[in-house]
Amino acid sequence: LYQDARSRHALDALKKLTEPLTQVIRDGQHQTIPSSELVPGDIFIVEEGNLIPADGTILQANDCSVNESILTGESFTVTKSVSDNDERNDELY
C-alpha cells in the first residue's frame, strides 16, 4: 500500500513536469498556463519552434509558417498571415 502511494505520487509529479505550457494573454495579462487549461477567447502566443496548442485565427504575424504535415500529408511548411480576403490563410490548426 505504501509503495503504491509513492508510485502514484511520483507519476503525478512526472505528469506535471512534462505537461506542455502555453503563453496566453488573458484579462489583459501575459500568463503561462498548462495547455489543458486553454478556453475559447484566450489569445495564445506562438513562437518559433512551439507547438500550436489549439485551433485559432492569426491576429498578428511576422513571417509565420506552419508544418501541417500531420493533417494534410504535405511535406513542406505552409505560410500563414493575417488575411483580409476569403482565402482563409489566417487559420492555425
Side-chain angles (χ1 to χ4, degrees):
L1 182 65
Y2 175 72
Q3 185 65 28
D4 183 54
R6 285 187 61 199
S7 297
R8 288 183 191 198
H9 181 70
L11 284 174
D12 288 340
L14 281 173
K15 284 181 186 177
K16 286 182 182 180
L17 184 65
T18 60
E19 187 173 22
L21 300 175
T22 302
Q23 295 180 36
V24 298
I25 298 175
R26 187 184 278 180
D27 299 326
Q29 302 262 334
H30 185 275
Q31 303 174 12
T32 301
I33 62 169
S35 296
S36 60
E37 293 181 10
L38 276 173
V39 295
D42 279 344
I43 298 173
F44 59 87
I45 300 167
V46 179
E47 297 175 341
E48 183 176 352
N50 287 21
L51 295 175
I52 297 172
D55 293 348
T57 303
I58 297 175
L59 301 176
Q60 181 181 351
N62 183 18
D63 191 31
C64 180
S65 62
V66 179
N67 180 355
E68 293 181 345
S69 63
I70 202 158
L71 298 172
T72 62
E74 296 176 10
S75 60
F76 300 106
T77 60
V78 179
T79 303
K80 300 287 186 170
S81 64
V82 178
S83 107
D84 294 329
N85 55 20
D86 294 333
E87 192 175 312
R88 302 308 297 167
N89 193 32
D90 62 347
E91 294 180 344
L92 295 175
Y93 304 105

